[in-house]
């Protein structure tokens, strides 16, 4: 008998999430679909939220592999690369309606924040690549409008799948990708028309596009840095007493930063202590700069 893996559980869960929705799917159902009992599920994932996070991380990994492969297809015309990017987005992200699951999760607890951050990474990565391909297909002059086109394209994909009663077949995905590409052509041609002036809605400095080399809102920068510090502490070799001390100080820092009126002096003192650990110094420096900006 084939040993069940965490990916087997993720694919089983995706099937159920797409069919029934995240909230309506129970751990019992996911376990049965995976071919195991409920107790065995918890050997792989601590909760349904942890499974959702694992799902998004897997999608991010598969998306990255697909896009890297697409970048290597130098012989493809730029417009065809854009069409294939739309197919990748349809197949890897939107087909599973994971974006709809995540946007319905309340951003209050640390688990939910990690889920939101994971989907943000996927969405921003896809946006960066799409804008890169738009410029390649329509020229450098489209750059000012590329963010608006990206917004329209994603909206079309989301609404097309939201209106669909069942999962799109491969043929239907091909048809939808062609349709979106034709709309992209019309948008690009219209926006590049020198006889018309167009209002730019989205641009690199809006919070919608908080990519790796673009502006991040303070809240998300802080949240990302704290999450990274927590991960670093878990991975750094420290004796138990020292680790516990740093974990407690990081917990106090998280508490201070979650207060409505942040005591900057307290926060700086905590950062000064945490910064003594070389592995945390970079994040501490970033946090200090964010708070002083």
């Amino acid at each position: 008998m084939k040993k069940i893996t965490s990916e087997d559980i993720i694919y089983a869960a995706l099937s159920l999430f797409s069919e029934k929705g995240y909230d309506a799917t129970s751990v019992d159902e996911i376990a049965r679909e995976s071919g195991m009992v409920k107790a065995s599920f918890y050997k792989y994932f601590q909760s349904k939220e942890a499974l959702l996070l694992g799902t998004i991380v897997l999608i991010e990994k598969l998306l990255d592999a697909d896009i890297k492969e697409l970048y290597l297809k130098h012989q493809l015309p730029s417009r065809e690369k854009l069409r294939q990017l739309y197919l990748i987005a349809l197949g890897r992200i939107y087909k599973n309606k994971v974006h709809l699951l995540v946007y319905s999760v309340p951003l209050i607890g640390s688990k939910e924040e990690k889920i939101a951050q994971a989907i943000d990474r996927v969405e921003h990565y896809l946006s960066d690549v799409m804008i890169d391909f738009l410029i390649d297909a329509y020229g450098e002059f489209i750059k000012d409008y590329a963010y608006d086109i990206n917004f329209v394209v994603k909206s079309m994909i989301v609404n097309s799948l939201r209106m669909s009663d069942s999962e799109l077949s491969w043929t239907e995905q091909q048809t939808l990708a062609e349709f979106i590409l034709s709309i992209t052509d019309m948008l690009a041609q219209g926006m590049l028309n020198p006889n018309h002036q167009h209002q730019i809605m989205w641009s690199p400095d809006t919070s919608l596009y908080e990519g790796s080399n673009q502006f991040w809102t303070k809240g998300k920068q802080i949240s990302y840095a704290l999450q990274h510090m927590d991960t670093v502490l878990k991975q750094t070799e420290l004796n138990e007493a020292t680790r516990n001390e740093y974990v407690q100080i990081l917990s106090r820092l998280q508490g201070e930063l979650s207060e409505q009126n942040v005591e900057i002096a307290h926060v700086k003192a905590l950062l000064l202590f945490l910064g003594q650990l070389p592995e945390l110094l970079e994040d501490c420096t970033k946090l200090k700069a964010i708070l002083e900006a």
Side-chain angles (χ1 to χ4, degrees), residues 141-154:
F141 290 110
I142 203 65
K143 189 172 184 177
D144 289 341
Y145 306 108
Y147 299 90
D148 284 345
I149 294 174
N150 176 62
F151 177 78
V152 172
V153 166
K154 285 189 173 181

Side-chain angles (χ1 to χ4, degrees), residues 82-97 99-100 123 126 130 149-164 168 173 176-181 183-184:
L82 192 57
R83 186 187 74 85
Q84 291 198 18
L85 179 64
Y86 293 162
L87 279 172
I88 289 170
L90 283 165
R92 288 297 186 203
I93 302 176
Y94 298 106
K95 179 180 80 169
N96 300 311
K97 303 186 180 177
H99 59 296
L100 300 180
E123 289 285 3
L126 182 60
M130 194 176 294
I149 294 174
N150 176 62
F151 177 78
V152 172
V153 166
K154 285 189 173 181
S155 299
M156 282 194 294
I157 293 174
V158 169
N159 283 303
S160 297
L161 293 169
R162 184 177 281 156
M163 292 166 61
S164 176
L168 295 179
Q173 287 182 47
L176 182 54
E178 288 287 354
F179 172 73
I180 294 171
L181 187 60
I183 297 297
T184 306

